[in-house]
Amino acid sequence: MIIEPRTRGFICLTAHPTGCEQNVVDQIAYVKSKGKINGAKKVLVIGSSTGFGLASRISSAFGSDASTIGVFFDKPSTPGRTGSAGYYNTAAFEKHAHKAGLYAKSINGDAFSNEIKRKTLDMIKEDLGQVDLVIYSLASPVRTHPDTGTRYKSVLKPIGGVFSNKTVDFHTGDVTEISINPAEGDDIANTVAVMGGEDWKMWMDALKSENLLAEGATTVAYSYIGPSLTEAVYRKGTIGAAKDDLEATAFTISDALKSIGGKAYVSVNKALVTQASSAIPVIPLYISLLYKIMKAKGIHEGCIEQIQRLYSERLFNGKEMLLDDNGRIRIDDWEMREDVQEEVAKLWETASTENLFDIGDLEGYSNDFFNLFGFKVDGVDYNADVNEMVEIPSEN
Ligand code: NAD
């Protein structure tokens, strides 16, 4: 069938298998071009199908020849209906990993559930024995607690007062004022329950209790800080409360891993267009201005460049880990550079529907958004008939 993008707000309902495969191939080529990384050899990636998790899986497999197990939650293709991008990405990743002689298996299901944890532990036990790196890269709006069955919904709200600022509809370029009402009731606790550290800790406890973590095993979860411009809705908002909890959990996990010489880290990554970030008000406008400045300065990175640098210059460079005062890895260092932030703040003041195409990188934002779903990818013929039915090799 001919597959075209069908968008609804910040969601795209279709995905293109050839475009998704090309994205994966391009990321693999990037990692290979940077040379080998002396990194972990047996890797579990939780949230492995898109964004930073996919980039982590690719960096481990093609940078360090690692065996990888990926856990993700995506929609398979059915006749006449495309699968979700993460599904096609995973099929493409496995295809190319297997071609390169690498072990790669994937589990599609709810990582928050006991059932998927059990399945993953059994797979590690049978196939790898132990893992030496666990990447935790989930981004989800909901979580059903495995013990109580309570379904929590996260919200993206400021805390303490109404937040008003500019935002952009990145499809049209319309810059408007939005006001977001503050969190109320259980909003903060619910968001922490979904995006905080409890589930990460559950995974690590389960892995450790069944002796599935190798001596010296490392685990890394991803966080975000960002500038004062987005602070009210991000870092000091409900999602920020969840990130505070996630970051605190790194210390709890590190304590629990002491007996095996293991360590938990949080890496603070750069703001990037992913399915998760397009849903956050104000962030798309910030990203389109940030992209413009970082590209002009020659320091723009996507997920794969970020994670390749995280691996090669921080996690596996053989030197003492460079951490900030709160014990976090900062791979958002270029985003947060003073000169970058000063210029973004200046542009923010004047940004309007009339000038955003000039002063911001709306085109870059929009392209990245479509790329997430395999559209507008260089080298792909979108007029060609494509089979929407793709299988993930390890699932058959
Ligand atoms: P993403 O939406 O691209 O990826 C999320 C992944 O989680 C996907 O593989 C998806 O399948 C998986 N997933 C979601 N719910 C699941 C579930 N219930 N069970 C199993 N898998 C599930 O998101 P992303 O932007 O790459 O975010 C990953 C992490 O990086 C998040 O913690 C996010 O806060 C953080 N981060 C993102 C940015 C950014 O700008 N995008 C910046 C810094 C940090």
Side-chain angles (χ1 to χ4, degrees):
M1 63 195 257
I2 304 292
I3 303 172
E4 290 176 345
R6 273 193 17 238
T7 58
R8 194 176 294 157
F10 50 80
I11 290 169
C12 185
L13 302 168
T14 50
H16 200 284
T18 319
C20 288
E21 177 168 3
Q22 190 60 48
N23 280 335
V24 169
V25 166
D26 292 345
Q27 291 194 42
I28 292 171
Y30 176 78
V31 169
K32 283 175 146 180
S33 78
K34 301 301 272 187
K36 287 289 172 208
I37 302 166
N38 189 16
K41 295 287 184 212
K42 295 177 181 181
V43 180
L44 169 64
V45 182
I46 303 159
S48 61
S49 63
T50 53
F52 285 111
L54 174 65
S56 306
R57 192 173 194 191
I58 292 174
S59 296
S60 282
F62 291 89
S64 306
D65 298 321
S67 301
T68 60
I69 291 178
V71 182
F72 64 103
F73 206 8
D74 274 279
K75 191 166 60 75
S77 47
T78 51
R81 289 190 68 171
T82 71
S84 54
Y87 185 82
Y88 289 141
N89 290 341
T90 303
F93 170 81
E94 276 200 14
K95 175 177 151 187
H96 290 276
H98 295 164
K99 220 196 258 177
L102 296 167
Y103 170 99
K105 282 191 184 173
S106 311
I107 293 175
N108 188 5
D110 182 5
F112 296 130
S113 70
N114 288 331
E115 180 205 344
I116 290 299
K117 286 191 177 71
R118 182 70 265 152
K119 216 172 156 182
T120 311
L121 300 185
D122 289 344
M123 191 180 273
I124 295 172
K125 211 172 282 181
E126 261 170 47
D127 293 357
L128 303 179
Q130 290 182 318
V131 290
D132 46 8
L133 176 65
V134 179
I135 298 290
Y136 188 82
S137 186
L138 290 185
S140 172
V142 290
R143 173 178 173 224
T144 301
H145 198 284
D147 299 335
T148 62
T150 307
R151 188 174 159 83
Y152 298 103
K153 272 189 174 173
S154 70
V155 297
L156 296 160
K157 291 184 183 174
I159 294 174
V162 175
F163 172 65
S164 300
N165 213 325
K166 293 176 187 176
T167 193
V168 67
D169 175 336
F170 57 85
H171 292 301
T172 61
D174 283 341
V175 177
T176 52
E177 276 286 321
I178 51 152
S179 287
I180 313 168
N181 286 326
E184 50 187 29
D186 294 333
D187 280 348
I188 300 173
N190 290 347
T191 307
V192 171
V194 180
M195 288 296 286
E198 188 189 22
D199 182 63
W200 184 24
K201 175 86 168 50
M202 283 178 161
W203 271 100
M204 297 312 297
D205 284 346
L207 287 160
K208 179 152 184 286
S209 72
E210 301 199 18
N211 195 27
L212 299 177
L213 294 175
E215 192 70 26
T218 302
T219 181
V220 184
Y222 297 138
S223 188
Y224 182 66
I225 297 178
S228 51
L229 280 171
T230 60
E231 203 168 57
V233 72
Y234 196 94
R235 193 63 207 209
K236 291 192 174 160
T238 48
I239 181 72
K243 290 302 185 191
D244 288 344
D245 184 75
L246 183 84
E247 290 174 14
T249 305
F251 295 101
T252 323
I253 296 175
S254 278
D255 282 344
L257 297 186
K258 260 192 192 129
S259 57
I260 57 158
K263 192 112 179 72
Y265 294 103
V266 162
S267 170
V268 181
N269 298 349
K270 177 198 181 199
L272 277 171
V273 181
T274 65
Q275 295 180 37
S277 70
S278 353
I280 309 176
V282 184
I283 298 278
L285 178 58
Y286 168 70
I287 290 183
S288 71
L289 299 176
L290 179 75
Y291 272 26
K292 184 82 171 189
I293 303 291
M294 292 187 80
K295 284 180 184 175
K297 290 179 185 287
I299 52 170
H300 175 71
E301 296 174 298
C303 287
I304 197 68
E305 289 85 359
Q306 275 269 291
I307 301 300
Q308 200 284 334
R309 189 159 68 90
L310 168 68
Y311 278 25
S312 61
E313 295 184 16
R314 304 294 160 86
L315 280 178
F316 304 118
N317 70 349
K319 297 187 191 142
E320 198 186 325
M321 190 74 75
L322 197 60
L323 301 172
D324 71 7
D325 292 346
N326 294 306
R328 302 170 295 206
I329 300 171
R330 300 298 298 267
I331 212 73
D332 65 339
D333 46 355
W334 298 351
E335 170 184 355
M336 298 311 284
R337 254 170 47 176
E338 221 169 280
D339 58 322
V340 171
Q341 286 304 324
E342 265 172 21
E343 289 179 46
V344 172
K346 233 182 261 164
L347 291 182
W348 185 277
E349 276 174 24
T350 60
S352 67
T353 308
E354 288 67 42
N355 67 14
L356 191 59
F357 275 101
D358 296 324
I359 69 163
D361 184 21
L362 206 55
E363 196 186 337
Y365 190 102
S366 174
N367 270 335
D368 275 11
F369 175 79
F370 283 104
N371 285 174
L372 295 176
F373 307 95
F375 297 108
K376 298 191 185 179
V377 177
D378 286 344
V380 176
D381 176 5
Y382 290 101
N383 295 317
D385 195 33
V386 59
N387 185 0
E388 74 283 11
M389 294 301 292
V390 172
E391 286 179 348
I392 294 179
S394 72
E395 287 198 321
N396 294 288

